[in-house]
Amino acid sequence: MKSLFKTVALITIFSFLTRLLGFVFRIILSRVVGAEGVGLYQVASSVFMVLMTIIASGLPLVISRMGATYYANKEGKKEASLITVALIYGTILSIILCLVVLAFKSVFAKLLTNEGCIMILIVMLPSLIFSAVYSVFRGALWGRGNYFALCVTEFYEQVVRIILGVLFISTSYSAMKNALNIGWTMTLACFMSMIYVLLLFFYYGGKLGKAKKDQFRPLVKQSTPITMMRVVGSFAQPLIAFIVPARLQAIGYTNSQAMSLFGVAVGMTMPLLFIPTTIIGSLSTALVPDISTAVAQNNQKHVQERVSSSIYFALFISAMFVPIFIGMGEQIGLFLYDNIMSGTLLQSSGWVLLPLGLTNITSALLNSLGLEKRSFINFGIGGIAMFISLWILPQFLGINALVWGMGIDYLIVATLNFLLIKKHVKADLKLTKKILKIFLLIIPCSALTSFVVSLAEYVFPLFITLILGGITSVTSFVMLASVMNLFDLRAFMIIAKKRLNLPKLRLKRNVKKNV
């Protein structure tokens, strides 16, 4: 099995670069297309992304897991048959969705509230078919552990979208024309990405086989809960956008004030809370074929080690960011958005990082272990608790009810997932003491960060203050974790030296390895 260290690093780097390109693309759109054109595209895109979720969420994950099992057992014919069945299923499903939109065009036009938006949606419909094919071959590469090809395909798509955007979009066009052109860039980028991943699949030795009926049922059965979870999540966002402002207005806020507070929370604060999930998401991607292969080989010890170390890693990374947000949240809000409210909300929501990180990693582990149905049930229980909280808590907490509602949701899901994983792997994961120690670390690190930042503000500009605060927070957290035997700093330095080919460091040879 490939080094998880290298895999996570590779996926994290490419994920960062891909998101950076996506950010650049949004800047180009906002500057060239203008607010109206972007708005028209976003309205059409909101419906399109729900359709895309149905196509490209559960299918590649299940293909990667089942494919990894066949690949590990050297069952090439079954692997090839699985890919063929998935291609047929995904293509048919995507065509059906396209036909539904075209058949109920008038209904979708009313839903989108703008006649031009339905044209943009229709222009993007072929992307569903291209993405269905793309997802199957990408899932096959994922199952074989070819993470470089996996990462390059996403990066390639963003590059193509930017190039096509520059070619197709112009300030001389009308807002509607530019919005249509953005839709065309999506369709063409998906087509070119499909061709690219197809070439990579065959280049790396992939094959198609005879479609067998016995492959169809497990594929649909296992992918449906994952797809449903993602689709329900897509629909949950509009409901939250309706409930929270309505409840704020019910306790005395004006419509303008309620929408402003909601905009600050969702548009400014929440994106920052998901920063640690970039690293955790990389680990989640690497775990699916890794654990699936271990299960196929009946390597229970490897499964237990991966589960335990992955949960601990996710918690450690999440906890490392908490003192940063608690200790200098206000300053981050001022620097990024020139908005003190976003910073205050960031401070009060820092604790959410812990259950959020655990939810992300435990959900990935459940999917890797073939427990996607139970994962969907846990997701539903947490969602119900969140909506109840969002209805009741605003009268006591105001906009902070959104933070607490999400936190309660993640806490419930993470707890249920953890208990299920522990029961399934039939082993003591030995994480309780480590988790309690990590919680204790957050308090002094947050206090020290806040103290350093409050002093630095009197001397340095805000940017320098944030750098000093960030260095203080991370350094103190890592040093205290090392003292409490939660993180082996010497072992990490040795690993880094080997990976980066650094000159020899004068370190003791006897290094105690931590999980």
Side-chain angles (χ1 to χ4, degrees):
M1 297 180 184
K2 294 182 179 180
S3 167
L4 202 63
F5 182 93
K6 288 183 178 179
T7 301
V8 172
L10 176 69
I11 297 173
T12 301
I13 291 170
F14 269 97
S15 178
F16 171 77
L17 292 175
T18 302
R19 293 189 182 192
L20 180 63
L21 286 180
F23 180 69
V24 170
F25 185 62
R26 285 193 292 272
I27 292 175
I28 294 173
L29 292 184
S30 62
R31 290 182 177 273
V32 179
V33 177
E36 184 182 356
V38 173
L40 290 169
Y41 171 75
Q42 289 295 339
V43 171
S45 180
S46 63
V47 175
F48 174 77
M49 291 311 297
V50 174
L51 301 175
M52 183 70 85
T53 300
I54 297 173
I55 296 296
S57 55
L59 200 59
L61 194 151
V62 172
I63 292 170
S64 70
R65 189 177 67 215
M66 294 177 66
T69 301
Y70 294 143
Y71 188 66
N73 293 332
K74 298 181 179 179
E75 297 175 311
K77 290 184 178 180
K78 286 187 176 181
E79 182 189 12
S81 175
L82 169 69
I83 296 168
T84 303
V85 170
L87 272 175
I88 296 171
Y89 170 66
T91 303
I92 293 174
L93 181 60
S94 60
I95 291 173
I96 291 173
L97 290 177
C98 292
L99 293 176
V100 167
V101 174
L102 294 174
F104 297 94
K105 180 180 174 181
S106 58
V107 177
F108 280 92
K110 291 179 180 179
L111 180 66
L112 295 171
T113 69
N114 189 295
E115 293 182 2
C117 292
I118 188 64
M119 295 303 299
I120 301 170
L121 178 60
I122 291 173
V123 163
M124 291 192 292
L125 285 182
S127 300
L128 296 177
I129 301 173
F130 303 148
S131 295
V133 177
Y134 168 88
S135 297
V136 171
F137 288 117
R138 192 168 180 272
L141 291 169
W142 186 3
R144 288 192 165 208
N146 195 330
Y147 298 103
F148 179 77
L150 189 72
C151 295
V152 166
T153 52
E154 283 194 337
F155 184 76
Y156 171 81
E157 183 174 343
Q158 286 292 350
V159 171
V160 171
R161 288 200 71 189
I162 291 176
I163 295 173
L164 292 175
V166 172
L167 294 175
F168 277 76
I169 299 169
S170 172
T171 54
S172 62
Y173 296 152
S174 66
M176 183 60 208
K177 176 67 174 176
N178 271 326
L180 277 172
N181 285 340
I182 299 173
W184 279 115
T185 63
M186 167 66 82
T187 298
L188 291 174
C190 287
F191 173 74
M192 295 178 73
S193 296
M194 178 192 72
I195 298 299
Y196 184 61
V197 76
L198 182 65
L199 294 173
L200 285 176
F201 173 76
F202 288 111
Y203 175 78
Y204 285 110
K207 296 180 180 180
L208 296 177
K210 184 179 179 181
K212 295 182 179 180
K213 293 181 180 180
D214 59 349
Q215 295 277 19
F216 178 76
R217 186 175 180 180
L219 178 70
V220 176
K221 185 179 179 181
Q222 294 179 40
S223 64
T224 299
I226 301 169
T227 300
M228 287 298 296
M229 186 161 57
R230 304 281 172 83
V231 171
V232 170
S234 298
F235 283 114
Q237 297 304 316
L239 286 176
I240 293 172
F242 171 77
I243 291 174
V244 173
R247 296 303 296 161
L248 290 175
Q249 291 178 56
I251 62 175
Y253 287 94
T254 65
N255 179 62
S256 177
Q257 290 172 332
M259 292 305 297
S260 177
L261 287 172
F262 183 75
V264 168
V266 175
M268 300 180 184
T269 302
M270 296 305 170
L272 296 175
L273 293 177
F274 287 89
I275 290 176
T277 60
T278 301
I279 302 174
I280 298 172
S282 301
L283 176 62
S284 301
T285 301
L287 284 175
V288 173
D290 182 85
I291 291 181
S292 298
T293 300
V295 171
Q297 296 174 343
N298 199 27
N299 190 346
Q300 191 65 17
K301 182 179 179 181
H302 181 83
V303 172
Q304 292 172 2
E305 289 176 350
R306 279 290 191 252
V307 168
S308 179
S309 60
S310 298
I311 293 175
Y312 178 66
F313 175 81
L315 183 63
F316 189 89
I317 293 296
S318 300
M320 190 165 61
F321 280 84
V322 175
I324 296 176
F325 290 164
I326 293 178
M328 56 182 193
E330 288 188 5
Q331 290 77 10
I332 293 174
L334 283 172
F335 178 75
L336 293 178
Y337 309 113
D338 195 24
N339 188 296
I340 190 68
M341 181 64 195
S342 66
T344 303
L345 195 59
L346 184 62
Q347 279 188 319
S348 63
S349 59
W351 65 275
V352 176
L353 292 177
L354 300 174
L356 172 59
L358 287 175
T359 297
N360 284 337
I361 196 64
T362 53
S363 295
L365 289 169
L366 288 176
N367 291 334
S368 301
L369 294 167
L371 299 171
E372 56 281 326
K373 283 187 178 180
R374 292 296 301 273
S375 178
F376 178 65
I377 293 172
N378 294 347
F379 170 80
I381 294 171
I384 292 171
M386 179 186 68
F387 281 112
I388 293 174
S389 301
L390 293 180
W391 189 264
I392 297 174
L393 293 180
Q395 59 184 316
F396 304 106
L397 302 174
I399 190 61
N400 279 289
L402 178 60
V403 173
W404 279 90
M406 292 178 61
I408 291 170
D409 175 13
Y410 295 135
L411 185 61
I412 291 173
V413 175
T415 302
L416 293 175
N417 287 353
F418 180 80
L419 293 175
L420 180 59
I421 290 170
K422 187 175 180 181
K423 179 181 178 181
H424 186 78
V425 300
K426 298 177 182 179
D428 183 7
L429 301 178
K430 299 179 181 180
L431 290 171
T432 305
K433 289 184 179 180
K434 289 182 177 180
I435 291 173
L436 291 176
K437 287 181 179 180
I438 286 177
F439 287 166
L440 292 176
L441 283 180
I442 292 173
I443 299 173
C445 292
S446 300
L448 179 61
T449 302
S450 179
F451 176 73
V452 170
V453 168
S454 62
L455 290 180
E457 280 185 307
Y458 291 103
V459 182
F460 302 105
L462 186 55
F463 178 69
I464 302 299
T465 298
L466 291 176
I467 292 177
L468 292 174
I471 293 174
T472 300
S473 181
V474 173
T475 303
S476 61
F477 187 87
V478 171
M479 294 300 292
L480 285 176
S482 179
V483 171
M484 299 176 70
N485 294 321
L486 294 173
F487 178 75
D488 198 323
L489 186 59
R490 291 181 179 274
F492 177 80
M493 291 174 68
I494 290 175
I495 292 173
K497 185 199 74 161
K498 289 180 179 179
R499 302 301 183 194
L500 301 176
N501 295 319
L502 295 175
K504 291 185 178 181
L505 301 175
R506 293 182 179 179
L507 298 172
K508 293 182 180 179
R509 291 186 177 180
N510 296 326
V511 179
K512 183 179 179 181
K513 295 184 178 179
N514 279 345
V515 177

